Amino acid sequence: MKNFIFISPNFPENYWHFCRHLKDNGLNVLGIGDCEYYNLLPELKSSLTEYYKVSDLSNYDEVFRAVAFFTFRYGKIDWLESNNEYWLERDARLRTEFNICTGFRQKDMRSVKLKSAMKAVYKKAGVKTARYCLATSPAVCKKFIAQTGYPVIVKPDNGVGASDTHRLCSDDDLKAFFKNKLPVSYIMEEYIDATVNSYDAIVDSRGEPIFETGNVTLGSLMDVVNTGDSSMFYIVDRPFADVLDAGRRTLKAFGVKSRFVHFEFFRLNRDQHIGKKGEVVALEVNMRPSGGISPEMMNYANSTDVYKIWADMIAFDSSLKGTGQRFFCAFVGRRDGKPYVHGDDEIYGRYASCMKIAKRVPDVLSGAMGNRMFVANFSSMEEVEEFYAFATQCRQ
């Protein structure tokens, strides 16, 4: 029996599905987390062979001892995974120190975590990237801005999502940024007027995708996080051909194997220095599933079960689980206190027949997702657009 250590199997809450399918496929599922055992969902408890509670998942020594305990108790660890961007580097270090060969090791981290290091790999893939510099000083940045002009985007070189991402539009903004920036490395990029399209895939040990889909984000995630806009994105009914092509080339260039991935691309809204309107260019790679409830939405959009496809890939390096009827699966996250024209009950009543989820967003995820979520399936983009217009209309 193969031993699989799942780090933080209780967060996000829906990750118990990964564990359940691993167990059903005959794996020994061993959980490590900082949640008390009695607070775990019953579905998760029944999916785990054993659970090791640490006081703090950020404490590497504690987590190391947990892995060592499981190794002593159950033998060689075959897999170790969190499917979580936040723990990606720590997962790689544990795999390196315990000689777990089924995933990224420490030597692989630079190109998959540092946005600046991703640029060279994208070049290998033949995918364009935005011009950039490392924001080491005002002088370096001003030299870069002399080439690109304002606005520019600055964000941590090693960051998660849109956290601590800023649009600078003037020298005063630049001065304020350097006055307030945190003591981490930042990357500065030319501003790209574009819509974010993703390539999402589950990839086997040969680097071949066994499931593919994608999403489109409306508006700017940076603005959603920084200004409290409503959050809107949808899973496409079928991946766009150009995004599929760019995603597959990126898979090969990064040497991705045996993973669930979420690659983000820009689709240009107008002709720019980087390319023509409609062209697909790189944003960043994320070597984990798209966050929050996106896996659930992939299931709704494709009439499938991505948790099982992933667990089948782990256990059998393939999956017989196919897809069924295809839909656009649309998400809208509404903000508390925002003067919406239509109440939550009106939204649910109008779209009850196609509604899949209607509930509050966990506070830890509300920055990017809003406070109340509605997820619904539609057969056409016209229906998606009407749904967004109804759900986000605000009083003047």
Side-chain angles (χ1 to χ4, degrees):
M1 179 181 289
K2 292 183 177 179
N3 295 315
F4 191 108
I5 291 181
F6 207 116
I7 306 289
S8 190
N10 58 296
F11 185 82
E13 189 175 86
N14 49 307
Y15 274 21
W16 72 265
H17 292 282
F18 286 125
C19 297
R20 171 60 54 83
H21 286 299
L22 288 173
K23 179 185 177 182
D24 289 346
N25 284 344
L27 275 74
N28 209 27
V29 188
L30 310 167
I32 300 174
D34 55 11
C35 178
E36 295 291 349
Y37 180 76
Y38 57 77
N39 285 331
L40 300 179
L41 289 175
E43 297 89 344
L44 177 57
K45 289 180 182 178
S46 65
S47 302
L48 298 176
T49 302
E50 188 168 353
Y51 179 72
Y52 191 113
K53 195 263 182 191
V54 297
S55 63
D56 183 359
L57 279 171
S58 298
N59 186 321
Y60 182 79
D61 290 340
E62 273 197 273
V63 180
F64 181 94
R65 288 194 293 271
V67 177
F69 171 79
F70 282 146
T71 302
F72 172 78
R73 187 171 175 85
Y74 296 99
K76 179 75 169 68
I77 303 303
D78 301 287
W79 293 84
L80 184 147
E81 186 59 74
S82 66
N83 277 342
N84 192 313
E85 184 80 18
Y86 193 79
W87 305 118
L88 198 67
E89 290 175 281
R90 206 273 316 281
D91 292 350
R93 182 178 174 186
L94 288 167
R95 291 192 201 100
T96 301
E97 298 197 0
F98 285 91
N99 195 30
I100 302 169
C101 301
T102 49
F104 287 119
R105 311 283 280 270
Q106 277 184 291
K107 63 180 176 60
D108 305 311
M109 281 297 97
R110 178 176 169 79
S111 63
V112 302
K113 284 295 293 179
L114 298 185
K115 294 174 175 63
S116 58
M118 293 175 190
K119 304 282 186 178
V121 189
Y122 277 125
K123 184 176 181 180
K124 179 181 175 182
V127 181
K128 294 179 181 178
T129 62
R131 291 174 290 177
Y132 80 101
C133 74
L134 292 179
T136 54
S137 71
V140 168
C141 292
K142 286 181 178 179
K143 183 177 180 180
F144 175 73
I145 293 166
Q147 302 172 33
T148 65
Y150 284 110
V152 291
I153 302 297
V154 287
K155 52 192 173 183
D157 197 16
N158 184 357
V160 179
S163 177
D164 198 23
T165 298
H166 309 274
R167 182 191 291 118
L168 307 184
C169 299
S170 66
D171 287 347
D172 286 342
D173 288 348
L174 181 65
K175 183 178 179 180
F177 166 72
F178 273 96
K179 180 180 179 181
N180 299 314
K181 78 182 186 73
L182 298 173
V184 297
S185 178
Y186 285 81
I187 183 173
M188 175 176 284
E189 294 183 318
E190 62 180 316
Y191 173 74
I192 305 295
D193 180 7
T195 301
V196 175
N197 286 223
S198 80
Y199 170 81
D200 298 86
I202 298 171
V203 186
D204 67 18
S205 67
R206 297 173 295 278
E208 297 297 328
I210 60 175
F211 171 81
E212 295 171 302
T213 188
N215 70 43
V216 175
T217 300
L218 301 184
S220 165
L221 181 58
M222 177 178 62
D223 291 338
V224 169
V225 172
N226 291 339
T227 66
D229 286 354
S230 299
S231 176
M232 294 177 285
F233 73 94
Y234 61 90
I235 308 295
V236 296
D237 61 343
R238 284 175 175 79
F240 300 116
D242 52 1
V243 177
L244 274 181
D245 176 61
R248 290 170 179 174
R249 284 189 280 131
T250 302
L251 281 178
K252 299 298 183 185
F254 279 88
V256 179
K257 296 178 180 179
S258 303
R259 294 199 71 77
F260 201 147
V261 299
H262 173 66
F263 295 167
E264 294 177 325
F265 297 92
F266 282 132
R267 185 180 299 281
L268 302 182
N269 291 332
R270 56 181 172 81
D271 290 356
Q272 297 171 69
H273 179 274
I274 195 172
K276 299 292 186 181
K277 179 180 179 180
E279 190 173 348
V280 170
V281 301
L283 175 51
E284 65 183 41
V285 296
N286 299 282
M287 299 299 180
R288 43 76 181 170
S290 184
I293 62 165
S294 290
E296 308 283 350
M297 292 175 61
M298 293 175 195
N299 288 344
Y300 298 139
N302 293 277
S303 302
T304 191
D305 188 339
V306 297
Y307 301 106
K308 176 169 175 54
I309 296 172
W310 176 84
D312 288 351
M313 177 273 293
I314 296 293
F316 314 120
D317 205 25
S318 63
S319 180
L320 296 177
K321 183 67 177 177
T323 57
Q325 186 176 359
R326 305 289 187 92
F327 300 92
F328 296 91
C329 186
F331 171 98
V332 62
R334 307 213 318 167
R335 299 285 180 183
D336 291 345
K338 209 170 180 68
Y340 295 107
V341 171
H342 305 290
D344 291 357
D345 289 344
E346 289 181 80
I347 296 173
Y348 190 82
R350 185 182 180 97
Y351 296 101
S353 63
C354 48
M355 191 68 65
K356 297 298 182 181
I357 302 174
K359 66 178 184 180
R360 285 198 67 81
V361 176
D363 289 342
V364 71
L365 300 176
S366 63
M369 296 179 65
N371 303 108
R372 288 123 48 224
M373 71 170 80
F374 295 87
V375 175
N377 266 10
F378 299 99
S379 298
S380 70
M381 268 307 300
E382 290 76 16
E383 293 172 300
V384 172
E385 290 166 356
E386 196 277 340
F387 170 64
Y388 284 141
F390 187 86
T392 63
Q393 183 182 1
C394 289
R395 298 184 182 87
Q396 298 299 319

